[in-house]
Amino acid sequence: METGQKTQRDFTRLRAIGFGSLVGLGAGIVVSLFRLSIEKLLVLMQITYGWLGEHPLWLVPWAILLVLVAVMIGRWMRTEPMSKGSGIPQIEGQLAGDLDYRWWPVLWRKFVGGILAIGSGLFLGREGPSIQLGGTVAQGMADRWGFSGRRRRLFIAGGAAAGLSAAFNAPIASTLFILEEVYHSFSTLVWVTSLTSAVVADFISSEVFGLTPVLHIAYQHTLPLKYYWLLLILGVGLGLLGVVYQYGTLHGDAVYAKLKWLPQTFNGVIPFLLVIPIGLLWPEALGGGNGMIVGFAQQTPLLLPLIGYFILRLAFSMISYSSGLPGGIFLPILTLGALLGAIGARSFNQLGWLPATYIANFMIYAMAGYFAGISKAPFTAILLITEMVGSLQHLLPLAVVAIIAYITVDSLGGAPIYEALLEKMVTPADPNASGLTDRVEYPVGEDSALAGVQVRDVVWPQDALLTSVRRGEHQVIPHGDTLLRAGDTLVVLTYQHNRAYVRQELQRLATLPPHFQD
C-alpha cells in the first residue's frame, strides 16, 4: 500500500516536471523575443535621438509620432485593463483567485504595447511584463489542454517563473520570487513546476543572449569587515527612500486622475513627450537602466551628477508607471538602488570613510537592499542580485543591507509593493456557492491569529470546508480539537468561484486579535 502511494507521488512530480518543461519552452521563446525586441528598439531610439540632436526640425513630426503611439497603446489598455502596468499583481491575483482574464487579448497587447513603451525609452522594466507574459502563455496552454483549478494555477506559476528567468537569466531567484512574493506557497509541486520552467526558459534565453550575467559587474576587491558599519547607514537610507518610492508609485495614478482635461486613454502621452528631452540630453539613461548600472559601475560619475540621475529616474519612473502603460518597476527599482549605492559610496569616500575602490561593491549591495525594502522579499533580492551579477563573494554584505532596509521599511509601515498594487485592483469578494469545487491553500504564519487555535474555535468562511492540514511532508486530517500551528498550510475546499471570498476571509481571520473566536 505504501509502495503504491509512493509511486503515485513520484509519478505526480515527474508529470509536473514534464509540464513545467513545456511551459518553460513556450514562455522562454515568447519572453526572449520580447526582450530582444526591446533591446533592439532601445538601440534604435538612442541612434534616433542622436540624429534628432543634429536635425531639430524633425522633432515636431517625431513628437506627433510618439503621441500617436501613446494613444494607440492607451486604447489597447482601455479595451483590456489587465494589460496595464507591471503584470505581477495580475498574476498574483489570478493565483489567489481574486481576478482572472482572457489570455490571448492580454498576451498580444502586453507583448506589442510593452515593446513600444519600454523600447521607446520610458523608465519602465521588462521583468514585470515578462512575468505576466510567461504566466499568460502558460494559461493559454492550460486552457488548450482543458486544465482547471490547481493544475491551471501550477501552470501559471511555472510560466511566471519562466518569464522572469528569461528576462533576467536568474532561474533560482525567479523560482523563489514566485514562491515568496507571488504564489505565497512552498509546496513541492509548486516549486518543482516553477523551477523546471525557469531552468528551461533560462536555457532558451541563454541561447539568444549568451551566458554573461545581465548585470555583470567585475569585482576589484571584497569589502573588508572594518567597513561593514557603513552598510548599516546605507540600509537605513535605502529603507527611508524605499518608503518614498512606495508612496509615489501607489499614489501616482491619483495625480493623473486630477488632470480632468486629459482623458485616461491619453495618460501615456505625458511620459512619451517627456522622454524626448531625456533622449536628447541623456540618451544613456533611456529604458529600464541595466546599461546604466553596468556603465556606472565601470566609470562612476561624481556625486552631484549621481544625485541628478537619481532624482530624474525616481520622478520619471513614477510618471511612466502611473500612466498605466505596460511596463514594470522591477528593473527601475534596481537601477535606483544602484544609483543610491553609488551616491552613498561617493559620500563616504569624500568624508574619508571609504576608499573609492569599493563604489561598485556598494552599488551591488544597494540594488539588493532597495529591492528588498520595497518588495519586502529579502531572500529573492539576495539571490537575484547574486545571479544577475554572477558572483558569490558579496552574500554577507548583501544580506546585511537587505535586512536593514527591510526592517526600516517595515518599521515605517511600508507594505509589499506588489501586494499593495493588487489591493488597488481588487474589491472584497462576495460568497458564491455555485459551480465546480476547488481548493484554497492558506499558510499559517508565526504572527497569525490562527496559530495555536483549535479548528472548532475558528468561524470558517461560508461554503468552505477544511479538508486537511499540510504539516511539512505530512497531511493531517483535521478534527475539532486539532490545534493549528505556525507553518501549517490549510487546505480548504470550496466552490471555484468562491476562492477569492474564502481567501480574503482567511486573511481577515489571520489578522484578528486573540480570542477572535468569541
Side-chain angles (χ1 to χ4, degrees):
M1 185 69 179
E2 293 180 358
T3 303
Q5 291 176 347
K6 186 175 187 300
T7 303
Q8 178 62 35
R9 286 199 300 271
D10 290 342
F11 177 77
T12 301
R13 293 170 186 176
L14 183 62
R15 187 168 55 185
I17 291 175
F19 284 134
S21 301
L22 294 175
V23 169
L25 179 63
I29 292 173
V30 171
V31 174
S32 294
L33 289 174
F34 181 71
R35 175 180 167 185
L36 182 64
S37 301
I38 289 173
E39 291 185 0
K40 297 296 184 183
L41 184 55
L42 270 175
V43 172
L44 179 61
M45 288 297 107
Q46 292 174 335
I47 295 173
T48 300
Y49 280 112
W51 183 84
L52 287 171
E54 300 174 358
H55 304 83
L57 292 178
W58 285 93
L59 284 173
V60 173
W62 178 250
I64 294 174
L65 176 62
L66 291 184
V67 168
L68 293 176
V69 171
V71 172
M72 179 177 65
I73 299 175
R75 291 184 180 276
W76 292 345
M77 300 303 104
R78 184 183 64 181
T79 305
E80 192 57 64
M82 289 294 119
S83 304
K84 289 183 177 181
S86 166
I88 296 177
Q90 289 90 319
I91 292 295
E92 187 174 352
Q94 268 195 316
L95 295 176
D98 288 329
L99 51 85
D100 207 351
Y101 56 79
R102 299 173 300 159
W103 71 273
W104 174 246
V106 169
L107 180 66
W108 76 260
R109 285 176 174 83
K110 195 77 170 191
F111 186 89
V112 180
I115 291 172
L116 293 175
I118 305 169
S120 295
L122 304 186
F123 290 2
L124 296 168
R126 64 174 182 257
E127 298 70 31
S130 297
I131 289 175
Q132 188 178 19
L133 286 173
T136 306
V137 168
Q139 179 187 341
M141 297 172 69
D143 290 353
R144 176 76 175 179
W145 292 331
F147 293 163
S148 61
R150 189 187 187 200
R151 185 176 293 182
R152 181 176 184 259
R153 292 193 294 276
L154 287 174
F155 262 58
I156 294 174
L164 182 56
S165 179
F168 268 160
N169 294 113
I172 308 301
S174 300
T175 303
L176 183 59
F177 179 75
I178 298 305
L179 300 178
E180 182 181 20
E181 181 67 16
V182 178
Y183 206 120
H184 306 289
S185 172
F186 284 80
S187 70
T188 302
L189 284 181
V190 176
W191 75 254
V192 166
T193 305
S194 299
L195 180 59
T196 303
S197 300
V199 169
V200 172
D202 179 56
F203 178 82
I204 299 297
S205 180
S206 298
E207 286 290 327
V208 178
F209 301 100
L211 296 174
T212 303
V214 174
L215 297 179
H216 180 63
I217 298 175
Y219 256 82
Q220 295 182 359
H221 303 283
T222 302
L223 185 71
L225 291 175
K226 64 181 180 180
Y227 296 121
Y228 270 49
W229 65 278
L230 295 174
L231 300 180
L232 304 180
I233 301 175
L234 179 65
V236 172
L238 292 170
L240 293 173
L241 289 170
V243 174
V244 173
Y245 183 87
Q246 285 185 337
Y247 183 86
T249 302
L250 293 174
H251 296 85
D253 55 349
V255 177
Y256 276 97
K258 293 180 180 179
L259 304 177
K260 303 296 184 181
W261 51 271
L262 184 68
Q264 187 177 8
T265 304
F266 296 162
N267 284 351
V269 171
I270 294 178
F272 264 100
L273 288 178
L274 290 178
V275 80
I276 296 176
I278 296 174
L280 292 172
L281 298 173
W282 307 286
E284 72 279 1
L286 292 175
N290 53 306
M292 174 180 282
I293 295 173
V294 175
F296 282 8
Q298 296 172 349
Q299 188 172 1
T300 311
L302 298 177
L303 183 58
L304 287 179
L306 283 172
I307 294 174
Y309 275 118
F310 175 77
I311 294 174
L312 172 67
R313 291 205 66 93
L314 180 67
F316 195 55
S317 293
M318 295 177 182
I319 292 172
S320 299
Y321 183 79
S322 299
S323 67
L325 292 170
I329 58 176
F330 209 125
L331 187 55
I333 289 175
L334 298 183
T335 306
L336 289 170
L339 288 171
L340 287 174
I343 291 170
R346 279 289 188 200
S347 301
F348 298 150
N349 175 251
Q350 291 188 7
L351 291 170
W353 297 347
L354 182 74
T357 307
Y358 301 110
I359 291 178
N361 299 49
F362 271 65
M363 292 178 64
I364 294 172
Y365 309 152
M367 281 192 286
Y370 205 52
F371 183 79
I374 292 173
S375 68
K376 302 191 77 172
F379 288 108
T380 298
I382 295 168
L383 272 181
L384 180 69
I385 300 304
T386 299
E387 284 193 281
M388 291 180 67
V389 173
S391 172
L392 295 173
Q393 299 179 25
H394 49 251
L395 282 176
L396 181 58
L398 275 181
V400 171
V401 176
I403 291 171
I404 297 300
Y406 174 89
I407 292 174
T408 303
V409 173
D410 192 61
S411 300
L412 295 174
I417 187 67
Y418 294 113
E419 287 188 23
L421 290 170
L422 175 61
E423 288 178 4
K424 291 169 64 71
M425 298 173 60
V426 301
T427 56
D430 296 321
N432 190 335
S434 63
L436 301 174
T437 57
D438 201 347
R439 57 192 246 171
V440 175
E441 298 183 7
Y442 189 83
V444 180
E446 288 287 347
D447 57 348
S448 173
L450 294 170
V453 176
Q454 289 184 327
V455 170
R456 65 163 58 93
D457 295 327
V458 179
V459 183
W460 296 98
Q462 184 175 337
D463 294 307
L465 176 65
L466 179 66
T467 58
S468 66
V469 177
R470 192 166 62 240
R471 189 165 289 167
E473 288 291 324
H474 303 285
Q475 296 280 348
V476 176
I477 299 176
H479 302 281
D481 57 353
T482 300
L483 191 68
L484 301 179
R485 302 176 184 174
D488 287 347
T489 298
L490 310 180
V491 182
V492 181
L493 185 67
T494 186
Y495 294 102
Q496 196 171 79
H497 298 298
N498 203 38
R499 290 187 69 250
Y501 171 77
V502 171
R503 190 194 63 81
Q504 291 175 15
E505 282 295 295
L506 290 174
Q507 180 65 31
R508 183 185 64 82
L509 292 172
T511 54
L512 287 175
H515 308 298
F516 64 90
Q517 64 271 23
D518 296 334

